[in-house]
Amino acid sequence: MKIKYYTLCLLAAAALLPLQVLAQNAKPFVVPELTSWQGGEGKFSPSGRIVLASKSKALRSAAEALAADYQQMFGQRLQLVSGRAQAGDIVFALSSDSSLGEEGYQLDIRQQTTVRARTAQGAYWATRTLLQLSEQDAQRQLPQGSTTDIPQYALRGFMLDVGRKYIPIDYLRQLVKVLAYYKMNTLQLHLNDNGFKQYFGNDWAKTSGAFRLESTTFPGLAPKGASYSKREFIDLQLQAEAQHVDIIPEIDVPAHTLAFAHYRPELASKDQGDDHLDIFNPKTYEFIDALFREYLAGPNPVFRSKHFNIGTDEYSNATEELREKFRAFTDRYVRYVESFGKQAYLWGSLKHAYGKTPVKLDKAVVLAWSRDFLDASAARKEGQRLVSIPDSYTYIVPGAGYYYDYLDTKLLYDKYTPALMDRSTRFEEQDSCILGGMFAVWNDHYGNGISVKDIHHRIMHALPYMALKTWTAGKTAVPYETMQRLSPTLSEAPGVHELGLWAKGEQREVLHLERLQPGAKLGAKLPEIGYDYSVSFTVEPREEAKGTVLLSSPTAKVYLSDPRQGLLGFARDGYLNTFRYRLPQSGSKVTITIEGDNEGTSLYVDGRLRERLSRQTLYAQPVGGDPALRLDQQYEAPDKFAPEVYQVPQRGRMFYVRTLVFPLEAAGQFKSTVTDLRVLNYKPKR
């Protein structure tokens, strides 16, 4: 009987075993993916308290960041306390585990949740994981389990071209928060660049070129109203440091330097063009020395990072003399940057500028962006430190028609890690020469209508995948389909709503006003609604002056009567777009519907499509083109240059983008009667 009893017990235990295994929590979804997970059973329910298990300032800063962001995201303030932890508390403890490095952390989620890290940065990354987990549960409960989460690469970054498209400082502050939320620790800002001469009548003097940072050494070098003051830039860096994002400034020399030639024409190369500095001219070195010194020198320099990018990409290699001089130029400025105690970053170009002149790169970091300009294998043999940013995988050039408009996320998921230097060169994972990986937005086509909102839309499309593949690299296990399905459900960052998304995950009417009063503040949840949307309203028109606004936000205006022609239209980012439609005379009602997506903006009148403002193809022409065919959509633009492009088939194609993230913050001072304003966070099928 005893044998039968024990047999039954064993059978019962065996029957229960699968249920116990199934009860263990699967690895939870966060971006980037956790590099390890041991599932527990059940959920952690937060008490609303954070317990500091040590007096470490590093831990306190991370805990305070968690409390502030938790309140912003969920409306509940976590209380920081000391003493003995209770069930439901989040505990911060200092770790002595050297294997965690600078950025790793341990997270043990049981009846209490314990964060262990060696540094403030590691603890801060743990808080990003906690916030992402919390936002996926209505009760803010966390799945029990534990992880030791350590990035595979030290540099995980993004580069933004602000030289050819002015990006307001307020957006850069938001972008830092977004990068930090996805554990991306580097933001490189490309501070100077210029447009392509062919789009400006083949005249360098008329071609856009800008340097975006205030200079007191060279007053007037940065365009007023379209640049950053030193104070703004310092404050941006201070914010980034608090969120563990390193801002690497880039001043690109000796090419892409038309802004400097506009300021000092004698510095321009007579043979290579005004967008090249004359590197045989001693005055060029005096100018660059003084400019770099302004931001790098002193006990509290304007550029706070330990790293500074000197550019050195795409200079002409037409002659041996030019190549050797370029190599000497590069060597000089690597050493010059190091003389200020900084580490020089530069774009890999020495395959393009082949020659004998040595270039000091033993302490520098080289961005591997093109196999035509850099031989990554040769650079590795020479002991160079490399950052993977291959143009054929990671370059976004909005609306240009070459490179990517949106990155191919499936290609990134399947093929990319920082071990990939170009399509034909891949090193072993975590090779000692690889510092990390980045992706980039280049705003090549100045004047093509792209908005900051459009740029952000492209960044957010790619960011989760680049965050994933630079953190987990070859250890990536989360399926691509899961990334596609779940990554869009995560927030952009605490308090960041640049995409203008209302009611994520469901299609519905998000705002309805029976009547829109002139001058009213809508009190809307967000100041605008992003792609895809439908906004409709009924108008009983009265005569409106040109420039009459229907609705506005800090970034856009919708006009009942545009400032130029009195048409229905909208303005954002210094561009004015109009529909070929004017409101009827007083006395007749009309229902207007405006629908928007990332490709364009549509106007419906009384339910019928009137016009679709989609991507428009424009062309460069030689000087003397027909002025009647020239397109000039710039309006109150922050930069003074306007491209010379036409609506006729010629050479030099440009795509002009006419998108709108619809403003919903305040009504204008109109005379017409506007009723039945309805905002949908989707486009109805027609």
Side-chain angles (χ1 to χ4, degrees):
M1 293 295 294
K2 287 185 177 180
I3 295 174
K4 183 179 288 188
Y5 173 77
Y6 288 132
T7 301
L8 288 172
C9 289
L10 288 171
L11 289 172
L16 289 173
L17 184 60
L19 295 177
Q20 293 171 340
V21 171
L22 289 173
Q24 290 184 342
N25 293 319
K27 181 191 287 188
F29 180 81
V30 294
V31 178
E33 177 186 5
L34 302 174
T35 53
S36 73
W37 177 254
Q38 296 78 44
E41 298 178 14
K43 291 188 175 183
F44 162 87
S45 297
S47 65
R49 301 195 334 156
I50 298 175
V51 178
L52 295 173
S54 100
K55 295 182 179 180
S56 164
K57 290 182 180 180
L59 295 184
R60 174 169 284 277
S61 68
E64 288 173 345
L66 175 62
D69 291 339
Y70 200 94
Q71 182 175 35
Q72 188 161 42
M73 294 180 74
F74 312 127
Q76 179 187 359
R77 180 76 182 188
L78 301 179
Q79 182 183 5
L80 269 67
V81 300
S82 57
R84 188 169 183 175
Q86 304 169 5
D89 289 352
I90 299 172
V91 181
F92 281 77
L94 204 60
S95 174
S96 59
D97 186 350
S98 61
S99 69
L100 294 177
E102 292 296 308
E103 296 187 276
Y105 64 92
Q106 294 171 330
L107 192 59
D108 191 19
I109 308 172
R110 300 188 187 280
Q111 292 302 308
Q112 301 168 357
T113 289
T114 304
V115 173
R116 294 183 180 87
R118 295 179 63 246
T119 67
Q121 189 171 29
Y124 185 79
W125 293 151
T127 68
R128 305 304 91 181
T129 296
L130 290 173
L131 291 169
Q132 287 192 17
L133 291 174
S134 298
E135 69 167 299
Q136 296 177 69
D137 187 278
Q139 283 73 47
R140 314 305 168 206
Q141 293 181 322
L142 310 179
Q144 291 195 24
S146 61
T147 180
T148 299
D149 196 19
I150 304 172
Q152 301 300 289
Y153 288 96
L155 186 149
R156 307 173 303 281
F158 171 63
M159 193 237 62
L160 181 59
D161 172 10
V162 303
R164 282 178 286 204
K165 163 96 179 145
Y166 173 59
I167 308 293
I169 197 76
D170 286 345
Y171 174 74
L172 296 182
R173 294 189 186 104
Q174 299 292 82
L175 179 59
V176 166
K177 296 176 186 177
V178 171
L179 293 173
Y181 198 57
Y182 290 87
K183 304 185 182 80
M184 298 285 273
N185 62 8
T186 302
L187 172 60
Q188 180 170 307
L189 294 175
H190 183 79
L191 290 169
N192 65 287
D193 216 314
N194 45 266
F196 299 153
K197 184 176 70 169
Q198 67 194 73
Y199 296 115
F200 296 84
N202 285 320
D203 186 344
W204 283 121
K206 297 179 181 178
T207 302
S208 66
F211 175 70
R212 299 293 183 192
L213 184 58
E214 173 194 9
S215 173
T216 50
T217 304
F218 302 107
L221 175 61
K224 188 176 181 180
S227 58
Y228 317 120
S229 71
K230 289 182 181 179
R231 185 68 259 170
E232 285 176 328
F233 202 77
I234 291 169
D235 288 345
L236 175 67
Q237 294 170 93
L238 289 170
Q239 175 206 326
E241 288 169 17
Q243 294 171 304
H244 303 281
V245 175
D246 181 26
I247 292 183
I248 301 178
E250 178 190 351
I251 300 177
D252 197 358
V253 290
H256 304 285
T257 52
L258 184 61
F260 304 148
H262 281 169
Y263 190 80
R264 289 275 180 88
E266 69 273 17
L267 303 183
S269 170
K270 295 178 176 59
D271 297 322
Q272 310 308 321
D274 286 6
D275 65 337
H276 280 49
L277 292 176
D278 181 356
I279 56 178
F280 295 93
N281 183 349
K283 291 183 178 179
T284 293
Y285 298 87
E286 293 175 8
F287 178 86
I288 298 174
D289 284 1
L291 188 66
F292 283 12
R293 187 185 311 115
E294 179 175 357
Y295 306 116
L296 297 175
N300 296 298
V302 176
F303 291 166
R304 295 177 54 85
S305 174
K306 297 176 182 178
H307 316 117
F308 171 60
N309 193 310
I310 62 173
T312 71
D313 63 316
E314 297 187 305
Y315 197 82
S316 173
N317 69 344
T319 66
E320 180 182 0
E321 183 184 25
L322 201 61
R323 294 192 298 272
E324 297 296 350
K325 191 66 174 177
F326 172 82
R327 293 176 68 91
F329 176 98
T330 303
D331 180 72
R332 184 186 193 281
Y333 282 104
V334 168
R335 295 174 186 272
Y336 189 65
V337 168
E338 290 177 355
S339 73
F340 293 99
K342 305 285 189 181
Q343 183 179 36
Y345 277 53
L346 62 157
W347 296 97
S349 294
L350 295 186
K351 177 183 176 182
H352 179 73
Y354 55 93
K356 299 177 181 178
T357 303
V359 180
K360 184 182 186 297
L361 295 175
D362 59 316
K363 296 179 181 178
V365 173
V366 178
L367 276 63
W369 70 281
S370 168
R371 61 184 177 185
D372 295 329
F373 283 77
L374 174 74
D375 183 336
S377 295
R380 179 180 178 276
K381 290 178 182 177
E382 293 170 4
Q384 296 178 26
R385 295 279 279 163
L386 302 175
V387 171
S388 165
I389 183 169
D391 56 354
S392 55
Y393 286 80
T394 65
Y395 271 24
I396 301 168
V397 185
Y402 55 86
Y403 281 127
Y404 291 105
D405 194 22
Y406 286 80
L407 289 190
D408 183 339
T409 57
K410 186 65 165 65
L411 181 67
L412 288 176
Y413 180 89
D414 289 341
K415 302 291 185 182
Y416 180 76
T417 78
L420 182 71
M421 297 294 127
D422 55 57
R423 286 193 181 272
S424 60
T425 308
R426 182 185 291 275
F427 300 149
E428 293 293 322
E429 291 292 347
Q430 295 183 297
D431 188 293
S432 60
C433 79
I434 308 169
L435 188 58
M438 300 175 71
F439 72 113
V441 166
W442 296 100
N443 294 301
D444 287 13
H445 284 184
Y446 175 87
N448 70 345
I450 285 288
S451 70
V452 174
K453 298 292 185 182
D454 291 323
I455 291 170
H456 185 71
H457 198 262
R458 285 155 173 78
I459 292 171
M460 290 307 300
H461 175 78
L463 179 63
Y465 296 88
M466 288 299 297
L468 172 72
K469 297 309 293 284
T470 53
W471 184 277
T472 60
K475 294 185 176 182
T476 301
V478 60
Y480 177 73
E481 293 73 19
T482 302
M483 283 290 294
Q484 277 189 307
R485 179 169 53 89
L486 293 182
S487 63
T489 68
L490 294 178
S491 298
E492 298 167 64
V496 177
H497 305 284
E498 290 291 325
L499 291 175
L501 299 181
W502 295 53
K504 274 188 176 184
E506 56 179 312
Q507 295 185 347
R508 64 182 180 88
E509 181 178 282
V510 295
L511 182 66
H512 179 215
L513 294 177
E514 292 184 2
R515 181 162 182 170
L516 181 63
Q517 298 288 351
K521 303 295 183 184
L522 269 64
K525 175 183 175 183
L526 298 176
E528 62 246 333
I529 187 164
Y531 318 130
D532 296 343
Y533 65 81
S534 176
V535 177
S536 64
F537 50 93
T538 298
V539 183
E540 185 175 347
R542 296 183 64 184
E543 185 176 350
E544 302 283 10
K546 289 181 179 178
T548 298
V549 171
L550 172 69
L551 287 162
S552 66
S553 72
T555 61
K557 294 177 182 177
V558 171
Y559 293 102
L560 288 176
S561 176
D562 88 276
R564 288 179 175 171
Q565 303 175 72
L567 301 173
L568 197 67
F570 57 88
R572 82 292 185 280
D573 280 59
Y575 299 100
L576 176 64
N577 295 285
T578 54
F579 298 102
R580 289 171 293 190
Y581 177 77
R582 192 184 309 273
L583 288 175
Q585 297 297 314
S586 300
S588 55
K589 288 185 179 181
V590 63
T591 297
I592 300 295
T593 302
I594 297 174
E595 294 183 353
D597 55 40
N598 66 322
E599 294 290 335
T601 314
S602 300
L603 170 67
Y604 292 83
V605 179
D606 290 331
R608 298 183 63 180
L609 179 63
R610 186 64 180 253
E611 187 176 8
R612 167 74 170 170
L613 298 182
S614 55
R615 188 171 296 189
Q616 187 175 14
T617 305
L618 303 174
Y619 303 89
Q621 268 195 344
V623 176
D626 184 351
L629 297 173
R630 183 174 176 180
L631 187 77
D632 179 16
Q633 299 294 88
Q634 290 188 205
Y635 176 73
E636 297 181 343
D639 288 313
K640 66 179 181 178
F641 293 96
E644 191 169 304
V645 285
Y646 300 81
Q647 302 175 68
V648 291
Q650 292 286 340
R651 60 187 179 80
R653 188 170 59 174
M654 174 188 283
F655 299 106
Y656 178 70
V657 175
R658 297 178 287 181
T659 51
L660 172 67
V661 168
F662 200 97
L664 291 171
E665 187 172 77
Q669 296 295 338
F670 47 81
K671 299 176 183 176
S672 302
T673 300
V674 179
T675 57
D676 197 26
L677 174 69
R678 296 179 182 272
V679 180
L680 309 181
N681 67 348
Y682 65 99
K683 294 192 305 179
K685 293 182 179 179
R686 295 181 181 273

